[in-house]
Amino acid sequence: MNSNNQITSKLDQALALYDLNLNDDEVRSAVAELIASKLSENDNDEVKRFLFRSIELTSLHTTDSETSIMRFVERVNKFDEAHPELGNVATICVFPCFAKTVADTLEVGNVQIACVSGSFPSSQARIEVKVAETALAVADGATEIDIVLPVGKFLDEDYEGMCGDIQELKEACGTNVPMKVILETGCLPSFAAVKKASLLAIYAGADYIKTSTGKEKVSATPEAAYVMCRAIKEYYDQTGIQIGLKPAGGINTVRDALMYYTIVKEVLGGQWLTNKLFRIGTSRLANVLLSDILGEPTVFF
């Protein structure tokens, strides 16, 4: 058996451990029932404060500049002094070219520096380019890397090529920099495909799986997050390894955030309810959550 066949066989063996026969309507029904029955018990101040501390504060705009990113980071620096009782956001997320700017400007501890890398948001570039961009981001101070699943390869069922890309980018991150793999679930044809993509990404080296880039018409959905959580849970049951979850894209309201919290709590359990394993990618939610927690309109970020 040649090496390519050996890799394909290993992937087939891994996938055979999991139930991939999901029915889309059944997934929608299960999520609707879960949210209707469980969300209200999580609608409280303690959970909202936790959600704030799980935010990956994001700036991914064409208009970003060194000056605007420095101002962006300074707001995070000032937040601890302004609201020491709340704790800060989990992460600042920027383009790789601003990793050094964030690293040089960030003054507070316990806030990570994430960079979207590997030809974000399309993942459409030669692997050498994607590896170089990732390695440079890490060298410039990125403490976490977000890459995009090669969706075209997945849709062509080139799972070997897809996993190979992910593995090379994980190697570029090194052992101390966690890597999130963005599935771009809105581009996948079914929830069965979301589960398969989740498991393949995990087996290829993902430390987290993330729903979306926020650049496609369909971003994060509760149903996609639910299926991803099921994949994470089943992988944990097989291996004992905890993989993180990051919903991102279109999360704009407190209720949106509470939905994802509720799904994680019910499917994965309390051991995933830390801001190391559960993150929310957003550029809007921080001020919305702050306003709700403080009981008055607040624009800090």
Side-chain angles (χ1 to χ4, degrees):
M1 182 182 292
N2 65 37
S3 60
N4 289 346
N5 288 338
Q6 288 176 337
I7 294 169
T8 301
S9 177
K10 287 181 179 179
L11 292 175
D12 289 340
Q13 289 171 17
L15 290 174
L17 299 172
Y18 303 93
D19 179 15
L20 298 176
N21 296 312
L22 301 186
N23 178 280
D24 284 8
D25 289 336
E26 290 176 359
V27 169
R28 293 187 186 98
S29 177
V31 172
E33 181 178 348
L34 188 156
I35 291 171
S37 62
K38 298 293 185 178
L39 186 145
S40 60
E41 68 188 49
N42 299 315
D43 188 359
N44 59 65
D45 188 66
E46 181 181 356
V47 170
K48 291 170 186 175
R49 287 169 181 252
F50 166 77
L51 288 168
F52 179 82
R53 296 191 300 271
S54 298
I55 285 175
E56 296 205 353
L57 199 64
T58 303
S59 186
L60 299 172
H61 307 297
T62 303
T63 54
D64 286 345
S65 67
E66 185 170 340
T67 300
S68 71
I69 294 299
M70 288 175 67
R71 287 199 299 262
F72 183 64
V73 177
E74 285 293 356
R75 296 183 200 118
V76 176
N77 288 338
K78 293 175 181 177
F79 188 78
D80 278 352
E81 183 179 347
H83 295 284
E85 76 284 5
L86 293 181
N88 220 316
V89 296
T91 310
I92 294 170
C93 184
V94 296
F95 286 116
C97 55
F98 298 116
K100 190 174 188 304
T101 302
V102 177
D104 289 346
T105 309
L106 187 64
E107 297 173 354
V108 293
N110 300 320
V111 176
Q112 301 300 312
I113 303 169
C115 286
V116 292
S117 187
S119 193
F120 178 92
S122 69
S123 192
Q124 299 289 14
R126 290 172 61 107
I127 187 61
E128 296 89 348
V129 174
K130 295 195 284 187
V131 166
E133 183 179 45
T134 301
L136 287 167
V138 172
D140 280 348
T143 59
E144 298 180 357
I145 292 290
D146 293 24
I147 68 163
V148 182
L149 181 96
V151 176
K153 289 182 179 180
F154 177 81
L155 295 176
D156 269 359
E157 299 184 6
D158 178 12
Y159 304 138
E160 177 192 334
M162 183 198 86
C163 290
D165 279 13
I166 295 171
Q167 288 169 341
E168 287 200 52
L169 290 167
K170 177 57 182 173
E171 289 176 8
C173 290
T175 56
N176 297 322
V177 175
M179 184 180 74
K180 310 182 195 88
V181 177
I182 305 167
L183 305 184
E184 203 65 285
T185 55
C187 294
L188 303 183
S190 66
F191 293 127
V194 171
K195 189 171 185 183
K196 179 181 282 189
S198 298
L199 291 165
L200 288 169
I202 291 168
Y203 272 97
D207 299 294
Y208 294 73
I209 49 177
K210 175 178 169 181
T211 58
S212 321
T213 63
K215 305 298 184 182
E216 295 288 337
K217 291 181 180 179
V218 178
S219 290
T221 67
E223 293 81 8
Y226 172 83
V227 171
M228 292 163 69
C229 284
R230 284 180 54 176
I232 290 170
K233 180 63 164 62
E234 290 174 28
Y235 179 78
Y236 174 75
D237 291 342
Q238 290 284 346
T239 67
I241 299 170
Q242 286 182 278
I243 300 298
L245 178 78
K246 180 180 173 181
I251 303 174
N252 300 320
T253 70
V254 173
R255 188 175 189 277
D256 289 340
L258 289 171
M259 282 195 299
Y260 292 108
Y261 177 94
T262 301
I263 290 166
V264 170
K265 179 182 176 183
E266 296 301 320
V267 180
L268 292 174
Q271 60 185 316
W272 264 266
L273 295 176
T274 76
N275 73 349
K276 299 295 184 185
L277 289 168
F278 176 55
R279 299 279 182 76
I280 302 174
T282 180
S283 57
R284 300 186 183 98
L285 186 63
N287 287 327
V288 174
L289 268 172
L290 268 181
S291 297
D292 192 293
I293 293 166
L294 298 176
E296 59 184 10
T298 304
V299 179
F300 193 97
F301 297 102

